[in-house]
Amino acid sequence: MALHKGDRAPSGDRPRRVNPFYGEADPVGGMTASPPRHRLPDDPLSPSVAHRFVHDELMLDGNARLNLATFVTTWMEPEADLVMAECREKNIVDKDEYPLTAELERRCVAMLADLWHAPDPDTTIGCSTTGSSEACMLAGMALKRRWAQRNADRYPATARPNLVMGANVQVCWEKFCTFWEVEPRRVPMEGDRYHLDPAAAAELCDENTIGVVAILGSTFDGSYEPVAELCTVLDDLAERTGLDVPVHVDGASGAMVAPFLDADLVWDFRLPRVASINTSGHKYGLVYPGVGWALWRDRSVLPEELVFHVDYLGGNMPTFSLNFSRPGAQVAAQYYTFLRLGRSGFRAVQQTARDVACAMSDAIGEMREFRLLSRGDQLPVFAFTTADGIEAFDVYDVSRRLRERGWLVPAYAFPPNRTDLSVLRVVCRNGFTLDLAELFLADLRGLLPDLNGQQGPAGAPRNMATAFHH
């Protein structure tokens, strides 16, 4: 006698639901589909149809390789793409679940600490971020908290902190001052000086100054700010007044260029007054967008209450961040790039970018229509404007006409006290070759007859910002 009814399906044959992504949508419906753009469609599409809709619209974006505005990396090797693909689903904040990704982050911090001459690279405190903007926020928070600890009897009741910087700083520092209620004190540009003046910066410092920001590679013209001279001036200020003002070096771009091409330039932790440094892994760190780095000289300059501790490899790992979930792919790609290139490889890549920048600027400097502001011999970045006597067109006309050829070159006005000066800026990155540079120069020369034939410049777009922040 059967113990159970025979018409019941065996347990292995019970109906099972599958992931909706595993199945194709109606293939016929996909031939006539017209999904809405601003609300969820009622029904799914096949993956090929969904891909085609997205792919076709993105074709109208600019070509990233021809984007001479951005500092962000636009080319990596196929092997780097594989490394990123293998890690893109890993959430880097889950250090206990992904301990080897966390280990790669720790190794990158140690490598950067060694590169920037930290007193003890093996114990230097640092972290990855989503980019140099987040890294700047973290560095600014540490500066403010240290100042608040020293002024606990006055803050927040009677003291308002301030941060001294050049007018040429990236917009993230303006955001920091707004978000964290810090007074920004800006050193304006004067004449042919397009970045911070150390003496003028020291004059703005007082007992409420949390620090001075020095930019190693201004986005406006590619020039390095004189970090060592700034530290010397602040050393003198401390000796005269007792004001001990730390320096943060915003090395978003230059901190991954100067160590390889300007080894004799002293700008980093070799200067005792430099408390912290940030950089963008996704700029001249040669990684696709999504990674930055912040490092502090030692534990004394990063208040402990800002640091959180997580379990890691059976031990404890300090973390400091504003963001939470993000992929580990970019950190893995940064470690890949460090291993792949080494010091000599980075030197070769950055030297090539500088050589291309200098060759381009030399060629543009020979054109009677333009005047160079910088050559690209610090950051591989240079700025130029129209020459005296050129009245038929301006830099905004040049930018518009270059865009017609696919080249994205920003035109923008400088900050105070040089708002009268508008320029074009060219950023040379890894992957931008001399061959592409020659094509750019040919297109630029080809535009000049038409530009010279204009009745006058069309001028800046009405909705254009007073400065270009990228």
Side-chain angles (χ1 to χ4, degrees):
M1 180 178 177
L3 298 178
H4 47 76
K5 294 182 179 180
D7 59 352
R8 292 182 60 187
S11 61
D13 292 337
R14 286 199 300 268
R16 299 173 185 270
R17 294 187 180 275
V18 298
N19 187 324
F21 281 97
Y22 290 173
E24 291 272 347
D26 178 3
V28 176
M31 299 174 68
T32 59
S34 180
R37 293 184 178 183
H38 303 294
R39 63 175 177 84
L40 280 172
D42 294 327
D43 298 304
L45 299 171
S46 71
S48 59
V49 171
H51 170 262
R52 179 53 57 186
F53 271 107
V54 176
H55 173 82
D56 287 355
E57 292 210 24
L58 288 176
M59 287 194 301
L60 298 177
D61 267 347
N63 185 331
R65 292 287 299 281
L66 301 183
N67 185 353
L68 302 185
T70 184
F71 286 77
V72 173
T73 296
T74 55
W75 181 87
M76 292 187 76
E77 295 172 309
E79 291 81 1
D81 291 337
L82 288 175
V83 168
M84 297 185 73
E86 291 164 357
C87 295
R88 62 191 172 198
E89 77 277 16
K90 296 179 181 179
N91 187 353
I92 197 169
V93 302
D94 294 334
K95 299 185 186 300
D96 189 49
E97 290 83 355
Y98 305 115
L100 270 300
T101 303
E103 172 64 13
L104 297 190
E105 179 184 21
R106 188 192 66 80
R107 293 178 191 176
C108 287
V109 168
M111 288 177 174
L112 290 171
D114 178 65
L115 187 68
W116 297 339
H117 301 95
D120 185 359
D122 292 333
T123 61
T124 296
I125 299 294
C127 61
S128 68
T129 63
T130 54
S132 55
S133 293
E134 183 192 359
C136 291
M137 299 286 172
L138 298 179
M141 288 168 59
L143 291 173
K144 182 181 178 182
R145 185 60 61 93
R146 285 179 62 207
W147 171 86
Q149 290 174 343
R150 295 194 303 268
N151 294 274
D153 58 327
R154 298 189 304 119
Y155 178 78
T158 61
R160 185 188 181 197
N162 65 74
L163 181 67
V164 176
M165 64 194 88
N168 57 308
V169 294
Q170 213 266 357
V171 70
C172 69
W173 288 107
E174 298 176 23
K175 291 181 179 179
F176 166 76
C177 290
T178 299
F179 296 162
W180 274 271
E181 298 181 329
V182 173
E183 175 196 353
R185 293 187 175 179
R186 300 179 182 88
V187 177
M189 295 181 177
E190 298 289 351
D192 293 333
R193 175 180 57 74
Y194 305 124
H195 55 225
L196 177 142
D197 174 67
E203 290 177 2
L204 294 177
C205 294
D206 59 23
E207 68 276 7
N208 294 326
T209 301
I210 66 174
V212 178
V213 176
I215 310 294
L216 195 71
S218 172
T219 60
F220 282 87
D221 66 347
S223 62
Y224 296 156
E225 292 191 330
V227 183
E229 183 182 347
L230 173 65
C231 289
T232 298
V233 170
L234 293 177
D235 287 343
D236 180 65
L237 178 70
E239 187 174 330
R240 289 187 291 105
T241 67
L243 294 176
D244 188 16
V245 180
V247 169
H248 172 78
V249 178
D250 182 351
S253 295
M256 293 306 298
V257 174
F260 306 109
L261 302 188
D262 308 293
D264 294 334
L265 181 69
V266 179
W267 62 273
D268 53 17
F269 289 127
R270 286 171 288 184
L271 298 166
R273 194 162 291 280
V274 172
S276 50
I277 301 172
N278 72 273
T279 197
S280 281
H282 60 223
K283 291 181 181 174
Y284 288 98
L286 310 180
V287 176
Y288 283 138
V291 64
W293 300 94
L295 273 68
W296 288 264
R297 165 179 292 280
D298 52 45
R299 294 179 183 274
S300 68
V301 296
L302 179 59
E304 180 62 26
E305 60 263 36
L306 296 178
V307 179
F308 292 81
H309 296 267
V310 297
D311 291 334
Y312 163 67
L313 289 178
N316 187 278
M317 184 175 187
T319 66
F320 183 26
S321 67
L322 294 177
N323 285 287
F324 291 88
S325 295
R326 56 187 174 91
Q330 282 81 358
V331 168
Q334 184 74 85
Y335 185 66
Y336 165 88
T337 303
F338 285 166
L339 286 184
R340 168 75 173 87
L341 292 177
R343 288 177 180 258
S344 63
F346 262 96
R347 187 176 302 112
V349 169
Q350 312 300 37
Q351 185 63 59
T352 298
R354 182 179 282 182
D355 290 345
V356 172
C358 289
M360 290 181 71
S361 65
D362 287 347
I364 291 172
E366 293 175 357
M367 301 179 191
R368 70 171 186 84
E369 289 86 355
F370 300 114
R371 174 174 65 87
L372 291 175
L373 275 70
S374 56
R375 292 191 57 249
D377 53 353
Q378 293 183 331
L379 283 190
V381 175
F382 64 93
F384 62 103
T385 188
T386 50
D388 293 340
I390 298 299
E391 299 179 355
F393 63 92
D394 60 16
V395 294
Y396 302 101
D397 292 320
V398 177
S399 179
R400 277 188 288 264
R401 294 298 305 276
L402 285 171
R403 184 178 287 268
E404 294 173 5
R405 300 288 297 169
W407 301 104
L408 307 179
V409 181
Y412 55 93
F414 271 27
N417 289 335
R418 289 306 314 269
T419 53
D420 61 306
L421 178 61
S422 295
V423 305
L424 295 149
R425 188 199 65 202
V426 171
V427 179
C428 296
R429 304 176 307 278
N430 183 37
F432 188 74
T433 62
L434 277 172
D435 181 59
L436 287 173
E438 289 172 359
L439 292 173
F440 171 83
L441 292 169
D443 282 341
L444 180 60
R445 292 188 184 98
L447 297 176
L448 292 177
D450 283 347
L451 290 171
N452 282 315
Q454 291 184 173
Q455 296 300 310
R462 289 184 180 180
N463 61 347
M464 189 163 190
T466 56
F468 183 86
H469 295 291
H470 209 299

